Amino acid sequence: MHWIALFLILGVALTCFQVRRRIKRNAETALKYHFEFSTDELFEKEYLYLIQEITNEGERDVPFLKTETLLPEGLRVVLVQDGVLYSGNDIECQSVQSVFELPAGSTVRRKWRVLADQRGVYRAENIQMIAVYNDPLGMMATSHRLEAESGGHTRLVVLPRVKEWISHMALSPTYTGERILPRGLIHDPMSFLGVRDYEPRDPLNTVDWKQSARLGRTVVRETEYQYNDSYNIVLNMQSVLIEPNPPEISTPPLVEDCVSVCASLLDSAVRRDIPVALIANVPTVEEYGHPLSEEDDTGSQIFCSEEYRRQAQVIRAYRMLAALPMQLTVSIEKMMDDMIARPHLYARGGNIVLVTSFLNERMVGFYRAMRERGVQVIFFVVTAYNKAVDIPDDMPVYYRISQWKGGVAHAS
């Protein structure tokens, strides 16, 4: 009797296994998945739609189909509450599930509202669609990842957005003795000096009509071209003094703040027709630049973007920042050593703007060494971490601050 029971159990198990394999094989063949974004490009904190279609091209119905959509970090599905869009009660989540029946030859379409929370380049393969289907009795569930078919908007570029607090960054009081907002890092190439009487050779667009009305005569704006009007931006991808797991970055939000500062600097320079490029200790993004130097190991691991100058190139500069991977190639100490040894590769017009999430004594020494080589370095620090640094009186350091303590800036 025991042998008969054992054979019955084995027979039932084998039958269930075969039925499960057949259901999975049929579903994998029958289910076709189409995916697309509603747009190709947008800025951080803007919304888009994620559109999904699943078609049952098989001859059998799928009586129970549950799907789960998994989004990568940086994108969030926004579920509307109470049927009111932007009600303030929306729920943001990284995954969302649906359950439905899918008869043969039918199609189900889902349209999700998504928040682009973080800059980056996202593709269809970054959005996972897991399908779970059952037998008619609901006893043998099996899962399968659906691969999206090509076509439609399957690539999304989320551009970095300049954060509001960037305009409130101030110089260290050691450098100025008071708070000064950064109206211009490097002198504007056409600095305003005053007004003078209009002459027939002057273009009409240089006439200062308000001053002319006040003075009772036609005057034009007087400007003087200033040299030293170009610079390179150096982005430090190292988020803390010692990264515990390079090349992975331990504190990505700090680096994202640095990227936002770079977006502001690039935008300001390019719109004023000042040539500028970005250099960073990050893997090279071939579409937007090249290795700093292929002659040595350090230079080959440092990314140098193409030059941006004309206003039409602003959007391309933003796309370059969006494409930067969250990876570290060389430490900031190693990159600073290379800058000291080969300043001509990093400085443009004798100027460098270094954007970093921390400041330490090593950077103070780097500043002095670059000054000896005729290069001016301006620091932008997006946190209050300074390791009790004694900032020299002539060292320009912009901090994200609200109050001063001990001669250095502290974040609010």
Side-chain angles (χ1 to χ4, degrees):
M1 294 294 296
H2 292 87
W3 287 104
I4 296 176
L6 181 60
F7 279 121
L8 287 175
I9 293 173
L10 290 175
V12 171
L14 182 60
T15 301
C16 291
F17 177 74
Q18 291 176 344
V19 171
R20 180 172 180 173
R21 285 189 60 185
R22 180 171 52 83
I23 293 175
K24 183 176 181 179
R25 183 172 60 253
N26 292 340
E28 290 178 359
T29 304
L31 296 181
K32 301 300 180 183
Y33 172 46
H34 177 79
F35 163 91
E36 67 176 327
F37 296 108
S38 61
T39 184
D40 293 323
E41 188 173 81
L42 76 170
F43 281 90
E44 285 179 328
K45 308 305 179 184
E46 293 183 345
Y47 293 89
L48 69 148
Y49 285 98
L50 188 154
I51 304 166
Q52 298 173 317
E53 287 185 356
I54 301 178
T55 302
N56 182 5
E57 296 183 351
E59 298 178 354
R60 300 185 180 185
D61 297 346
V62 179
F64 175 84
L65 179 64
K66 181 174 73 173
T67 62
E68 182 176 12
T69 302
L70 305 175
L71 274 71
E73 291 292 335
L75 299 179
R76 297 180 185 176
V77 172
V78 181
L79 302 180
V80 178
Q81 295 293 304
D82 305 322
V84 180
L85 198 62
Y86 308 109
S87 64
N89 298 321
D90 299 340
I91 298 176
E92 298 178 1
C93 51
Q94 294 296 129
S95 64
V96 62
Q97 296 181 350
S98 299
V99 177
F100 42 79
E101 178 184 0
L102 195 61
S106 63
T107 299
V108 63
R109 190 172 189 264
R110 290 290 186 267
K111 186 176 181 180
W112 305 104
R113 189 163 65 103
V114 175
L115 171 65
D117 193 49
Q118 183 175 305
R119 61 101 199 168
V121 179
Y122 302 90
R123 296 176 175 83
E125 54 264 28
N126 300 132
I127 313 295
Q128 295 188 36
M129 165 68 86
I130 306 298
V132 180
Y133 27 83
N134 255 326
D135 66 291
L137 299 178
M139 299 177 58
M140 294 178 292
T142 183
S143 62
H144 171 63
R145 176 176 177 177
L146 300 179
E147 298 295 337
E149 296 181 345
S150 59
H153 303 283
T154 58
R155 182 176 182 269
L156 173 68
V157 178
V158 179
L159 305 174
R161 182 184 292 275
V162 176
K163 293 182 172 60
E164 294 181 0
W165 54 261
I166 291 176
S167 61
H168 300 294
M169 295 184 76
L171 278 171
S172 162
T174 304
Y175 182 77
T176 63
E178 58 185 8
R179 299 186 189 185
I180 298 180
L181 294 181
R183 294 186 180 273
L185 301 178
I186 308 299
H187 293 299
D188 195 312
M190 296 300 289
S191 178
F192 178 72
L193 297 181
V195 295
R196 60 171 174 80
D197 289 337
Y198 172 79
E199 298 178 1
R201 60 181 175 83
D202 294 322
L204 287 178
N205 62 359
T206 63
V207 175
D208 192 326
W209 298 108
K210 290 184 178 180
Q211 293 291 336
S212 298
R214 186 177 66 84
L215 297 174
R217 66 182 191 276
T218 305
V219 295
V220 297
R221 295 182 297 273
E222 183 76 18
T223 59
E224 178 182 356
Y225 186 82
Q226 296 189 6
Y227 296 98
N228 199 33
D229 61 348
S230 61
Y231 58 93
N232 277 342
I233 301 170
V234 176
L235 169 62
N236 175 24
M237 294 293 291
Q238 187 173 330
S239 62
V240 292
L241 191 59
I242 300 177
E243 289 286 1
N245 297 307
E248 296 181 3
I249 296 173
S250 60
T251 316
L254 297 181
V255 175
E256 293 298 338
D257 285 343
C258 290
V259 172
S260 295
V261 172
C262 292
S264 177
L265 298 175
L266 284 166
D267 184 272
S268 175
V270 175
R271 291 185 187 278
R272 292 186 294 150
D273 198 30
I274 295 177
V276 64
L278 180 102
I279 299 173
N281 46 350
V282 69
T284 296
V285 184
E286 294 183 358
E287 184 179 354
Y288 297 101
H290 51 80
L292 182 68
S293 172
E294 297 182 352
E295 299 175 356
D296 59 280
D297 181 63
T298 300
S300 63
Q301 298 184 72
I302 296 176
F303 168 65
C304 180
S305 77
E306 59 195 7
E307 179 185 284
Y308 302 102
R309 179 166 189 160
R310 298 185 301 275
Q311 187 169 347
Q313 295 178 311
V314 171
I315 192 65
R316 184 165 176 81
Y318 274 79
R319 289 168 182 162
M320 177 271 297
L321 292 175
L324 291 181
M326 189 62 68
Q327 296 178 14
L328 176 68
T329 51
V330 298
S331 66
I332 182 60
E333 287 82 6
K334 195 171 183 178
M335 188 162 67
M336 286 190 298
D337 289 340
D338 197 51
M339 281 190 273
I340 293 173
R342 303 183 297 180
H344 62 282
L345 293 180
Y346 294 86
R348 182 188 297 268
N351 300 289
I352 292 175
V353 178
L354 178 58
V355 182
T356 177
S357 60
F358 62 90
L359 185 73
N360 60 3
E361 290 291 348
R362 176 68 179 82
M363 293 180 179
V364 175
F366 161 74
Y367 167 78
R368 290 170 175 158
M370 295 301 285
R371 281 294 298 269
E372 293 175 356
R373 287 158 176 78
V375 177
Q376 170 75 359
V377 182
I378 300 174
F379 293 84
F380 268 69
V381 185
V382 300
T383 67
Y385 181 74
N386 54 68
K387 206 68 176 180
V389 176
D390 185 14
I391 303 174
D393 293 340
D394 62 342
M395 181 174 174
V397 181
Y398 286 95
Y399 276 102
R400 175 185 178 182
I401 52 82
S402 64
Q403 59 183 344
W404 307 106
K405 294 182 181 179
V408 295
H410 289 253
S412 56

